């Protein structure tokens, strides 16, 4: 039987929210001569009114791109839909002498976090909106968009595994070319070569199956391929 803690764990899903960039933010700061300047934007990320974290501030840029400190982990429960929980992302202009200027917000409901679309996982642009309950005079600079990625943690792990698989495949192709080159030159016996390849890869089945599949894709003389087939069938 599953324990209560195990059941609770199964009902939760970890999601990574990545703040990639903002576009067309309002210019909150003035120049020394009173003209329009830029903004020093940062983003505060909250889940169900609790602050999860904030991005670094990017100085004097109304089209900022965040590359570090921009990933936030959120744990979503199956019941969060009914409780109307949501992620709130607020964009602010940093000001050394005051709280700063509000540049807009984005609200993302729990149901989107649990089942993001392909577009939301690849990076979606959201329009910055005003904040309910905040004075209108404090929201005169709201405008522009923010680009976010929403990635379930299992999707992040799968992407990493696929990349690792590609890297392993690339290294196996090199080993195969070396093997065929040795077979063609008859520098050592073919049986020793195959045994050595299996030891290096720690996978005898790979040598017996995948290796021969790759042989047909490499333009080599027919003799080495015949030697490989004969050796594996003996």
């Amino acid at each position: 039987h599953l324990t209560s803690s195990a059941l609770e764990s199964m009902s939760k899903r970890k999601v990574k929210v990545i703040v990639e960039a903002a576009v067309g933010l309002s210019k909150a700061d003035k120049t020394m001569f009173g003209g329009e300047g830029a903004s020093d934007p940062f983003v505060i990320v909250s889940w169900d009114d609790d602050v999860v974290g904030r991005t670094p501030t990017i100085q004097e840029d109304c089209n900022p791109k965040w590359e570090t400190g921009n990933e936030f982990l959120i744990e979503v429960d199956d019941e969060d839909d009914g409780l109307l929980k949501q992620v709130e992302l607020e964009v602010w202009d940093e000001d050394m002498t005051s709280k700063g200027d509000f540049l807009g917000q984005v609200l993302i409901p729990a149901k989107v976090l649990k089942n993001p679309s392909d577009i939301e996982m690849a990076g979606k642009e959201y329009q910055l909106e005003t904040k309910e309950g905040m004075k209108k005079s404090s929201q005169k600079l709201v405008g522009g968009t923010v680009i976010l990625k929403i990635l379930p943690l299992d999707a992040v792990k799968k992407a990493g595994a696929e990349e690792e698989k590609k890297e392993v495949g690339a290294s196996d192709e090199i080993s195969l070319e070396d093997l065929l080159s040795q077979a063609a030159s008859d520098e050592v016996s073919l049986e020793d070569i195959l045994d050595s390849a299996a030891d290096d890869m720690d996978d005898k089945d790979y040598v017996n199956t995948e290796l021969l599949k790759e042989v047909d894709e490499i333009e080599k003389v027919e003799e080495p391929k015949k030697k490989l087939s004969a050796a594996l069938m003996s």
Side-chain angles (χ1 to χ4, degrees), residues 48-93:
D48 193 31
D49 295 327
D50 292 327
V51 175
V52 177
R54 57 159 283 176
T55 68
T57 300
I58 296 182
Q59 300 294 326
E60 299 181 353
D61 196 340
C62 290
N63 299 287
K65 294 181 180 180
W66 286 275
E67 297 180 351
T68 60
N70 61 332
E71 299 184 1
F72 305 92
L73 194 63
I74 295 172
E75 198 170 71
V76 187
D77 193 277
D78 285 344
E79 298 178 353
D80 289 339
D81 270 1
L83 297 174
L84 302 179
K85 290 185 179 181
Q86 58 190 2
V87 167
E88 180 183 72
L89 298 103
E90 295 184 354
V91 184
W92 289 80
D93 166 64

Side-chain angles (χ1 to χ4, degrees), residues 15-19 45 70-74 87 89 108 113 148-151:
V15 180
K16 184 178 289 187
V17 176
I18 303 174
V19 182
V45 179
N70 61 332
E71 299 184 1
F72 305 92
L73 194 63
I74 295 172
V87 167
L89 298 103
I108 302 175
L113 296 183
L148 309 172
K149 277 185 180 179
I150 301 173
L151 295 175

Side-chain angles (χ1 to χ4, degrees), residues 15-158:
V15 180
K16 184 178 289 187
V17 176
I18 303 174
V19 182
E20 290 201 319
V23 180
L25 298 178
S26 296
K27 299 175 180 179
D29 301 328
K30 303 295 183 181
T31 66
M32 290 179 60
F33 303 102
E36 289 189 346
S39 287
D40 306 317
F42 65 94
V43 182
I44 298 175
V45 179
S46 301
W47 167 242
D48 193 31
D49 295 327
D50 292 327
V51 175
V52 177
R54 57 159 283 176
T55 68
T57 300
I58 296 182
Q59 300 294 326
E60 299 181 353
D61 196 340
C62 290
N63 299 287
K65 294 181 180 180
W66 286 275
E67 297 180 351
T68 60
N70 61 332
E71 299 184 1
F72 305 92
L73 194 63
I74 295 172
E75 198 170 71
V76 187
D77 193 277
D78 285 344
E79 298 178 353
D80 289 339
D81 270 1
L83 297 174
L84 302 179
K85 290 185 179 181
Q86 58 190 2
V87 167
E88 180 183 72
L89 298 103
E90 295 184 354
V91 184
W92 289 80
D93 166 64
E94 188 172 71
D95 195 326
M96 299 298 292
T97 59
S98 66
K99 180 181 177 181
D101 298 297
F102 181 69
L103 301 179
Q105 72 167 3
V106 171
L107 300 176
I108 302 175
K111 64 180 180 180
V112 173
L113 296 183
K114 287 166 47 178
N115 296 292
S117 66
D118 290 342
I119 293 177
E120 288 159 341
M121 289 193 289
K124 181 178 178 180
E125 192 167 6
Y126 296 82
Q127 184 68 46
L128 289 170
E129 305 286 351
T130 56
K131 185 178 178 68
E132 186 177 351
M134 182 180 284
K135 293 180 180 179
K136 288 185 177 180
S137 59
S138 299
Q139 305 194 67
K140 58 185 178 181
L141 293 174
V142 172
T145 60
V146 64
I147 301 172
L148 309 172
K149 277 185 180 179
I150 301 173
L151 295 175
L153 209 58
D154 54 355
V156 176
K157 292 180 179 178
K158 183 178 179 180

